[in-house]
Amino acid sequence: QVTVRDALNQALDEELERDERVFLLGEEVAQYDGAYKISRGLWKKYGDKRVIDTPISEMGFTGIAVGAAMVGLRPVCEFMTFNFSMQAIDQVINSAAKTCYMSAGSIAVPIVFRGPNGASAGVAAQHSQCFAAWYGHCPGLKVVSPWSSEDAKGLLKASIRDDNPVVMLENELLYGVPFEMSEQAQSKDFVVPIGKAKIERQGTHVTLVSHSRPVGHCLEAAAVLAKEGVECEGGGVINLRTIRPMDIDTVEASVVKTNHLVTVEGGWPQFGVGAEICARIMEGSAFNYLDAPAVRVTGADVPMPYAKNLEDNCIPQVKDIIFAVKKTLNI
């Protein structure tokens, strides 16, 4: 069993060792071992040139990272939370995402933007937003969103090796969660291909599609529903893993089998990841196999409240997923 934190740390360590062009920068990543201890031990091992503490200026250090990527280095740029990436969104979108296209492919920007995304616990509106839909909207970026330790390690290694800008949206509440990791997943050659979803649980009645922390909620909901005779498949038990490019083929194949679709995410409903999945299913051949309207389970359409009881009501819970499944199955 390996925690998500240790899986990310392993991935960074292995990639820093493998390729001397890789370096890490951000607030508190070096001497303090990282605000969330993701970069623990790396500064002591690799020194000031490879693991760099920055001032509290997202626009500044993100710009430095993007410039470094343009001249052939491979930076890993950590945001203490993705809410603070708003300070640097000009660098992420205008400088990183668009440059390859605008230079007719002559300038690659091999950079990874990573850090915690979405709601943590008790940190109110300024720290709780999910940016999967924001960054997933923008051509020129790849966007990944891991759930398990295997996802985290494999996607981070794949992202560092990719020649495009990649946004990696982790979840703070998952960092300390242990997951089973196979020997293969712990090898230095292990990568999870970007753009491929993973079926976490097979089923016949309903397709549940999710990413990041809600994948766990979907699996819990599927276990409860299975006792009641409902077999779920999707992040409930299709784990998207990648937001852009989205693996809609895996979702379509499942919907053809189950005839029902429920999407689950922590982000806001309007223009969300679930909205995109529903639209793509609507436009494709799988639409003809749906026996009921697709249902979205999302965060509440409000900035996150600070109070615990209100926060719980704003984030999709297992009971909300079960309710949505029963609604779409009309039971």
Side-chain angles (χ1 to χ4, degrees):
Q1 291 223 322
V2 180
T3 64
V4 171
R5 174 180 288 109
D6 289 341
L8 290 165
N9 183 266
Q10 270 178 33
L12 288 170
D13 190 5
E14 288 167 14
E15 294 305 300
L16 282 161
E17 187 174 47
R18 187 185 67 86
D19 186 343
E20 61 185 20
R21 296 171 298 173
V22 175
F23 72 99
L24 178 59
L25 82 168
E27 295 150 358
E28 313 243 29
V29 297
Q31 295 186 30
Y32 188 68
D33 278 344
Y36 305 98
K37 303 300 179 234
I38 303 297
S39 52
R40 188 178 57 236
L42 300 180
W43 175 65
K44 284 191 178 74
K45 185 170 177 182
Y46 295 101
D48 289 330
K49 282 206 165 146
R50 307 288 301 284
V51 185
I52 303 167
D53 277 332
T54 64
I56 303 173
S57 171
E58 279 75 14
M59 184 184 280
F61 69 73
T62 307
I64 289 168
V66 172
M70 286 176 178
V71 295
L73 297 177
R74 303 185 85 87
V76 179
C77 176
E78 177 179 305
F79 295 119
M80 203 176 280
T81 136
F82 258 93
N83 298 265
F84 304 158
S85 75
M86 292 296 90
Q87 301 290 332
I89 198 162
D90 178 50
Q91 301 287 13
V92 177
I93 307 299
N94 288 324
S95 303
K98 297 176 182 176
T99 294
C100 185
Y101 185 94
M102 292 173 74
S103 66
S106 65
I107 302 174
V109 188
I111 186 171
V112 181
F113 305 103
R114 54 154 296 274
N117 168 70
S120 177
V123 290
Q126 279 93 340
H127 300 77
S128 297
Q129 193 173 333
C130 173
F131 290 94
W134 282 54
Y135 287 120
H137 178 66
C138 301
L141 291 176
K142 293 184 178 182
V143 182
V144 298
S145 180
W147 168 58
S148 66
S149 300
E150 183 180 299
D151 293 350
K153 181 176 181 186
L155 286 170
L156 181 51
K157 287 173 76 82
S159 300
I160 291 170
R161 295 178 189 192
D162 201 287
D163 286 335
N164 298 279
V166 184
V167 172
M168 180 154 169
L169 304 169
E170 300 152 15
N171 187 290
E172 186 187 332
L173 296 177
L174 287 173
Y175 284 155
V177 178
F179 288 88
E180 291 287 334
M181 256 180 110
S182 63
E183 270 184 48
Q184 178 205 1
Q186 294 195 55
S187 83
K188 291 189 174 183
D189 303 318
F190 177 73
V191 292
V192 167
I194 293 173
K196 195 82 192 86
K198 181 186 178 191
I199 295 173
E200 298 284 353
R201 179 189 175 115
Q202 296 283 359
T204 50
H205 291 112
V206 62
T207 298
L208 278 161
V209 188
S210 189
H211 67 95
S212 190
R213 188 165 171 257
V215 173
H217 297 344
C218 288
L219 287 167
E220 284 179 48
V224 172
L225 287 159
K227 287 179 185 155
E228 299 177 21
V230 179
E231 291 296 332
C232 297
E233 167 168 319
V237 213
I238 291 167
N239 171 9
L240 275 179
R241 285 180 161 178
T242 306
I243 305 300
R244 181 184 190 100
M246 190 177 275
D247 180 5
I248 216 69
D249 293 346
T250 295
V251 180
E252 282 189 329
S254 178
V255 169
V256 165
K257 196 165 75 172
T258 67
N259 314 113
H260 297 89
L261 173 64
V262 175
T263 68
V264 185
E265 66 190 305
W268 292 320
Q270 191 154 323
F271 313 115
V273 175
E276 175 65 17
I277 295 166
C278 292
R280 298 276 276 276
I281 293 298
M282 183 89 183
E283 290 165 353
S285 56
F287 173 70
N288 298 313
Y289 291 84
L290 279 176
D291 288 344
V295 175
R296 292 178 294 160
V297 180
T298 70
D301 198 15
V302 296
M304 183 64 70
Y306 174 70
K308 176 88 174 76
N309 59 335
L310 295 175
E311 181 181 75
D312 288 345
N313 280 316
C314 280
I315 301 169
Q317 308 290 340
V318 173
K319 64 177 174 27
D320 303 318
I321 300 167
I322 292 169
F323 179 81
V325 168
K326 289 183 171 178
K327 178 179 163 185
T328 189
L329 291 174
N330 201 23
I331 54 176

